[in-house]
Amino acid sequence: MVLLRGFLVLVVFFLLGEALRVLVGLPISGGVLGMVMVTATLMLRGRVSDQLAEASRGLISVLVLLISPGVVGVFFIADRFAGHWLSVAVALVAGTLLSSVTTLWLMKKTAGDRTQGHSHD
């Protein structure tokens, strides 16, 4: 039951993100907007519920299966990118570097917060 409650929370945030996307007309996926909203909510609450943590663990273990369909789908529309490969390559490299730097910065920041106040004798 804990797992189902966690999935329900994730689905609700996905639907809220999708509704926001449609109502405002944003060119961002509902899933991304939902993740931003759930992140903001968790930051305000200051903790993650057991239900959400359990559902997230289950999804992380199959993350590659969730990403693969989108990646495979790109090959079916590759002809639309004809003449735009330099733009796509620059976007991929810049996005990868930006996400890596951001992830490393966040890891350092959160690890720094945990180690403050502990003496290392």
Side-chain angles (χ1 to χ4, degrees):
M1 191 60 118
V2 171
L3 188 65
L4 289 177
R5 286 185 189 147
F7 278 122
L8 179 63
V9 169
L10 293 173
V11 168
V12 165
F13 275 102
F14 170 75
L15 292 174
L16 288 171
E18 198 60 38
L20 180 65
R21 181 189 67 81
V22 170
L23 291 173
V24 180
L26 295 172
I28 303 172
S29 81
V32 170
L33 291 172
M35 284 191 297
V36 169
M37 286 190 282
V38 76
T39 302
T41 302
L42 293 174
M43 289 173 67
L44 289 172
R45 290 184 67 203
R47 65 181 183 86
V48 178
S49 69
D50 292 339
Q51 295 93 355
L52 190 57
E54 187 66 30
S56 298
R57 270 188 224 101
L59 289 174
I60 287 172
S61 66
V62 294
L63 187 60
V64 75
L65 296 175
L66 299 174
I67 294 172
S68 295
V71 174
V72 171
V74 169
F75 291 104
F76 293 109
I77 60 169
D79 58 331
R80 294 183 189 174
F81 295 120
H84 300 286
W85 285 107
L86 180 60
S87 301
V88 171
V90 168
L92 287 171
V93 170
T96 300
L97 290 174
L98 184 60
S99 65
S100 297
V101 168
T102 304
T103 302
L104 290 172
W105 177 78
L106 285 172
M107 286 176 58
K108 184 177 179 182
K109 184 170 173 55
T110 57
D113 291 343
R114 289 184 189 162
T115 58
Q116 288 177 354
H118 294 92
S119 62
H120 298 288
D121 296 326

